[in-house]
Amino acid sequence: MTADREARSASGPDPQDALERMLARLEAQRAWLDFAAERIAAVPGPVFELGLGKGRTYDRMRRVMADREIFAFDRELHCSPRLSPLPEHLFLGDFRDTLLAAAERFGRSVALVHADIGSEVPARDAAICRDIGPLIERVVRRQGLVLCDRPLPLSRPGWEPLPPPAAAATAGWPYFGWCRSR
């Protein structure tokens, strides 16, 4: 048995294969994004997509939030030109730097931040969440939402956790949502 297989079996068998996990993740993301589009319909402001990646959720956001200005953030551009934002809607670099620049540019005007930032390294994910949580708090307006594939430290007064939409709850993939109430 290889070291990789030994490490995986040491933590117990995974009840889902990689394809099932990917499907659950995508179903949860779609459900949360559709929920968010309805929830922020009357909330003015742009939308941020942290973690553009291959552009799948960005493309969904363009469809269900067609009337919104959407800004995408990532370390570097990996998606096809068809799924890429215009250069003036793209922030490239470390989230800590680009979110700081966005906070200075937009202030507290953002209606939705969707952060798809998870990796296979829990310690790395926890560190980035700890670093970007305060930056996200600086840009989201009252009644604005934050969705993330990892728990963010948004527990200060004025942030309320959101229960998952039904379709996300049945998808079997952890996703997190918050609303800024003040």
Side-chain angles (χ1 to χ4, degrees):
M1 188 181 288
T2 66
D4 181 48
R5 289 178 95 187
E6 285 176 21
R8 280 185 274 149
S9 64
S11 62
D14 193 330
Q16 295 180 315
D17 61 43
L19 181 59
E20 290 170 324
R21 286 190 306 276
M22 174 62 77
L23 289 170
R25 177 177 151 230
L26 295 175
E27 288 174 9
Q29 285 177 324
R30 180 178 59 195
W32 274 104
L33 289 172
D34 291 354
F35 164 82
E38 288 181 29
R39 179 86 184 249
I40 65 167
V43 179
V47 170
F48 285 4
E49 167 74 326
L50 303 184
L52 176 62
K54 299 204 182 290
R56 287 183 294 260
T57 54
Y58 173 75
D59 194 40
R60 181 66 179 183
M61 292 165 79
R62 290 191 302 190
R63 179 175 301 244
V64 300
M65 301 174 208
D67 60 333
R68 297 283 178 166
E69 199 169 14
I70 303 171
F71 294 87
F73 296 71
D74 215 327
R75 184 171 290 283
E76 51 195 35
L77 189 60
H78 291 287
C79 60
S80 73
R82 184 179 71 79
L83 299 176
S84 295
L86 296 171
E88 60 268 20
H89 287 92
L90 181 62
F91 287 81
L92 293 178
D94 188 287
F95 290 143
R96 292 165 280 238
D97 299 326
T98 56
L99 273 173
L100 186 58
E104 292 171 8
R105 178 175 167 188
F106 293 96
R108 189 171 284 168
S109 68
V110 177
L112 170 67
V113 172
H114 174 251
D116 185 2
I117 58 172
S119 71
E120 297 292 323
V121 184
R124 178 202 163 277
D125 294 350
I128 194 132
C129 286
R130 193 173 43 251
D131 291 346
I132 68 171
L135 296 170
I136 289 172
E137 288 180 338
R138 289 179 59 182
V139 299
V140 177
R141 70 176 309 120
R142 188 172 171 274
Q143 298 306 310
L145 303 182
V146 176
L147 307 179
C148 191
D149 63 341
R150 298 294 186 260
L152 287 168
L154 302 178
S155 57
R156 295 182 180 149
W159 286 99
E160 299 174 10
L162 296 169
T170 60
W173 187 263
Y175 228 77
F176 306 90
W178 299 267
C179 178
R180 178 177 219 127
S181 59
R182 23 180 165 140

